[in-house]
Amino acid sequence: MAYSEVQVMDKIRNLIIIAASVVVLLSAVNVYLLLNEPQKSTGIVVFKELEPIDVTGVEIHNTTGDFKIYMKDGGYIIDDIPSELVDLDTFITFMTQCGAFSALKRITNQAENLAVYGLNNPSATAAITYSDGTELVLHIGCEDPVSGNYYMQVEPEDDDVYLISADTADLFLSSKKTYINHMVTPVLKSNNALSAVLNVTFTGGELKEPITIQAVTKNNDETMIAALSFGAITHLVHGNGLYELDQTYGSEILSSLFGIKANDVLGYGLTAEEINDYGFDKPYMKVEFDFKDLEGEQKHILLSLVMKTESSFLAYVEGTGVLYEISRPKFADIKY
């Protein structure tokens, strides 16, 4: 069924929502999805050719555990993951694959020995339900040693064995934590961190005392007066005295505050007590900063780090309840 652009927007607005706070973003992304149908290619075995919004639920069982995605009050719920933590890009990719599901090719008809394909004990089983009342049950076996793709069987089809792409298989083999946004801090959307950061205080690490870097702004008389003796500068450094910020080094350090991507999400929905159990009552370093986004809105972040190894840290942003593991950021080695 073809949709006009107005119908597409209305359909997305009404059905594809995770929470009210993400309606606009999710709608914009899904306009693209609905207006660009999956392309068919020779040899591909197509099981479903539906839109992502036609997927009403998915239940997955794999080696990481069980979880489900379902509709409630006109929106999608991803198991127990809070809506504000959902990675929209990953979620939409997953729903698109579920709606337009296909295999690369058929391997064999009515396989006699499923163990050869890892299908006697599947690595993952997924039951996908659709708005037309149909259901697709997938069993994903082992990896094909030649192509790196995966073997699969589909219900209510026969005993045929198919090959699906590794990218598609990974969506069903992964933990539900895959659908959590792994960005610990926002991506810097301006060209220079110096123009975004208003102030930042570094405490701990190799520092003997806290360091504060403060932007010189017209609406802050105190910093304007303090900066007079330095000439035209953007930031002051408060520590063991008052100094002008080195622009090159300062830009490197401030830039490293943004776009920190976690290697892993260790937990979510954690209480303050549970966070402290990981050592955050006495963190290795704390970084508290205020910055302006592209719209000029001021935001505040308090980021704490606990050293795991020399090259990795546990990271926690106050108020999120999410515990991350990250690689060592540049600001962890800040020099006064």
Side-chain angles (χ1 to χ4, degrees), residues 181-296:
N181 192 332
H182 280 48
M183 298 307 299
V184 181
T185 58
V187 175
L188 179 63
K189 295 181 179 180
S190 61
N191 294 327
N192 192 336
L194 292 173
S195 64
V197 175
L198 299 175
N199 57 74
V200 54
T201 298
F202 298 90
T203 305
E206 299 300 322
L207 299 174
K208 294 181 180 180
E209 60 183 67
I211 294 176
T212 295
I213 300 174
Q214 189 173 29
V216 177
T217 58
K218 294 181 180 179
N219 59 356
N220 190 323
D221 293 338
E222 183 180 348
T223 59
M224 290 289 290
I225 293 172
L228 287 176
S229 60
F230 297 100
I233 65 173
T234 63
H235 290 74
L236 291 170
V237 180
H238 299 263
N240 185 19
L242 184 64
Y243 300 94
E244 176 184 355
L245 176 68
D246 180 278
Q247 296 285 295
T248 301
Y249 184 64
S251 180
E252 292 177 1
I253 292 298
L254 297 184
S255 294
S256 70
L257 295 172
F258 298 93
I260 300 174
K261 188 172 184 178
N263 300 321
D264 193 13
V265 176
L266 302 181
Y268 58 94
L270 302 177
T271 65
E273 291 74 16
E274 290 171 325
I275 291 294
N276 286 339
D277 287 341
Y278 286 89
F280 284 91
D281 53 335
K282 296 180 180 179
Y284 173 81
M285 175 177 273
K286 279 190 174 184
V287 186
E288 188 167 7
F289 62 103
D290 295 289
F291 68 97
K292 291 186 298 183
D293 60 19
L294 286 180
E295 289 71 38

Side-chain angles (χ1 to χ4, degrees), residues 61-65 122-124 173:
H61 170 76
N62 60 31
T63 56
T64 70
S123 300
L173 294 169

Side-chain angles (χ1 to χ4, degrees), residues 96-111:
T96 302
Q97 289 288 345
C98 289
F101 191 83
S102 60
L104 298 175
K105 62 180 179 179
R106 180 183 284 103
I107 296 295
T108 181
N109 295 329
Q110 297 182 340

